[in-house]
Amino acid sequence: MKTSTVSVHYVNACLARARQAGLDTQPFITRLDVSPEILEDPTARVPSEEYVRLCMQLVMATRDEFLLLGGIPRTRPGTFALMAHASMPAGNLKRAILRFFQFYNLLLDDLHFKLSRKNDEAIISVRFDDPELDWDHQTTDSILVLLHRFFSWLIGQRLELTQVSLSGEPPVHREEYQRLFRTRILFNQPRNALHFKQKYLDNPVTQSESTLKEFLREAPYNLVVIPDNDDSLTAKIRHIIGNDFRHDFPDFEAVARSLNSTPQTLRRHLKQEGTSYQEIKDTMRRDAAIYYLNRSQLTINEIADLMGFSEPSTFHRAFKKWTGLTPGAYRQNSDQEMI
């Protein structure tokens, strides 16, 4: 069961770019298991699978993997796969990054990638000749996520970021960046960039042609959700909690002991990842609740029980706090769209 969700902002951003490209987006909206009312709520969340499905449909419709988001000429379907094959023999992460950038810098005229160093950090930056081409930051957001996921996969471990720099003001969905990158996020910066320790540049590429085929089969889902090789504390705690929420969550002290840590140290490290134990628990239950409300015939009371709430009213209050809608309103909107 994949229960990941994404901010509705990314769904609407893709639809907006498709409209700009001259597409009639209503057929794509109709095929979504998400109602127009939910799309109109900037605080709403939708299942990641719905977002990925929409992206794939729009890629085929526009014949552009960047959905007309970055550069002329278009990046036709298959471009990313070709780049991935070209990066495989690079040997280590530094050479793979440079090969990736050389590939796209040759292909795209108005979008540029750069690898630089400062003190003990390596910095991957993304720049448009004309920033207005990325007026809503959608291209930059998507590319930064793609770079982090792909390079983490190449070296077989999470590329632990020390900072993500973003130009522009903090958006309504600013908390989404913490979920995506699990590090310090700075806005109003002079460049859009991923920061990480230089030591990672020497890490060998651990993947092969056979694992690349599997990776590409799962794309782009594996470029949207947190990767399986994520070794962050957040991921470890999610593993400890598991998927059965009907039982009491382990208390924080027990989680700390499981990770050979003290509560104080664990709390400090989670803060560095931009989260907390309570937020991890809430996120897991929220995403699972959205999954069941969209895909199952279970009653809301049964879902409340699955989420570990002894009283349905408590689940209603919690879900509205998480999403801005009651479970009934969320399900009703989705059901109306499917009628």
Side-chain angles (χ1 to χ4, degrees), residues 298-314:
L298 295 173
T299 68
I300 291 176
N301 286 357
E302 288 171 333
I303 295 173
D305 182 63
L306 283 174
M307 296 302 100
F309 291 92
S310 57
E311 296 292 334
S313 59
T314 308

Side-chain angles (χ1 to χ4, degrees), residues 248-312:
D248 290 338
F249 284 89
D251 60 45
F252 190 65
E253 289 73 17
V255 171
R257 287 195 299 271
S258 297
L259 296 171
N260 296 317
S261 179
T262 65
Q264 295 81 1
T265 300
L266 181 57
R267 190 173 291 109
R268 184 175 68 254
H269 287 165
L270 285 176
K271 186 176 181 181
Q272 292 171 354
E273 291 188 6
T275 190
S276 66
Y277 185 47
Q278 186 62 50
E279 185 175 346
I280 293 170
K281 293 188 292 183
D282 287 345
T283 297
M284 293 180 70
R285 289 203 287 191
R286 177 201 67 199
D287 289 355
I290 289 175
Y291 173 90
Y292 284 119
L293 287 168
N294 275 278
R295 292 172 172 79
S296 77
Q297 300 303 314
L298 295 173
T299 68
I300 291 176
N301 286 357
E302 288 171 333
I303 295 173
D305 182 63
L306 283 174
M307 296 302 100
F309 291 92
S310 57
E311 296 292 334

Side-chain angles (χ1 to χ4, degrees), residues 20-281:
Q20 187 189 40
L23 292 180
D24 176 8
T25 57
Q26 188 55 49
F28 298 97
I29 295 174
T30 301
R31 288 194 290 269
L32 280 173
D33 284 339
V34 178
S35 76
E37 288 80 4
I38 291 175
L39 294 180
E40 292 169 3
D41 181 356
T43 65
R45 304 189 65 80
V46 300
S48 295
E49 290 179 351
E50 291 301 312
Y51 170 65
V52 170
R53 188 157 61 92
L54 173 66
C55 287
M56 293 299 294
Q57 291 170 355
L58 292 177
V59 164
M60 298 309 296
T62 61
R63 302 298 296 164
D64 187 349
E65 287 186 338
F66 281 178
L67 302 178
L68 297 176
L69 303 185
I72 303 296
R74 300 178 183 181
T75 51
R76 296 188 180 278
T79 302
F80 177 81
L82 183 60
M83 178 284 306
H85 281 285
S87 300
M88 292 300 298
N92 63 24
L93 180 61
K94 176 185 175 182
R95 288 194 289 271
I97 291 174
L98 293 176
R99 191 167 294 186
F100 182 110
F101 290 174
Q102 182 183 27
F103 184 97
Y104 277 109
N105 285 338
L106 285 172
L107 183 65
L108 303 175
D109 296 328
D110 51 16
L111 178 61
H112 307 280
F113 300 90
K114 183 180 179 181
L115 173 64
S116 58
R117 304 187 188 205
K118 183 177 181 181
N119 300 325
D120 64 340
E121 283 192 337
I123 303 170
I124 290 173
S125 56
V126 180
R127 177 179 63 83
F128 278 90
D129 285 337
D130 179 7
E132 289 302 314
L133 290 172
D134 190 31
W135 80 90
D136 60 358
H137 228 263
Q138 169 72 353
T139 304
T140 300
D141 287 359
S142 300
I143 289 174
L144 290 177
V145 171
L146 181 149
L147 292 173
H148 183 235
R149 299 292 188 267
F150 180 63
F151 294 145
S152 293
W153 174 80
L154 273 182
I155 61 175
Q157 63 177 284
R158 179 174 178 265
L159 180 60
E160 186 175 351
L161 301 174
T162 56
Q163 177 181 308
V164 173
S165 301
L166 299 167
S167 62
E169 298 290 334
V172 173
H173 61 285
R174 61 182 300 171
E175 293 182 358
E176 192 75 358
Y177 293 102
Q178 293 288 355
R179 187 192 73 84
L180 290 171
F181 297 111
R182 294 176 180 171
T183 190
R184 181 174 61 164
I185 310 293
L186 295 182
F187 295 94
N188 294 312
Q189 299 302 298
R191 59 183 169 182
N192 298 289
L194 304 175
H195 303 245
F196 56 94
K197 296 296 184 182
Q198 286 192 34
K199 63 180 182 179
Y200 282 104
L201 294 175
D202 296 324
N203 279 36
V205 172
T206 62
Q207 305 299 336
S208 63
E209 289 293 332
S210 61
T211 58
L212 175 59
K213 290 179 181 179
E214 180 181 355
F215 179 86
L216 293 175
R217 277 198 302 269
E218 295 179 359
Y221 189 86
N222 52 2
L223 297 172
V224 174
V225 300
I226 304 300
D228 291 338
N229 59 5
D230 184 0
D231 57 356
S232 66
L233 282 173
T234 300
K236 292 176 181 177
I237 290 174
R238 290 172 67 94
H239 179 73
I240 291 172
I241 292 174
N243 293 318
D244 188 351
F245 306 136
R246 290 170 295 184
H247 305 293
D248 290 338
F249 284 89
D251 60 45
F252 190 65
E253 289 73 17
V255 171
R257 287 195 299 271
S258 297
L259 296 171
N260 296 317
S261 179
T262 65
Q264 295 81 1
T265 300
L266 181 57
R267 190 173 291 109
R268 184 175 68 254
H269 287 165
L270 285 176
K271 186 176 181 181
Q272 292 171 354
E273 291 188 6
T275 190
S276 66
Y277 185 47
Q278 186 62 50
E279 185 175 346
I280 293 170
K281 293 188 292 183

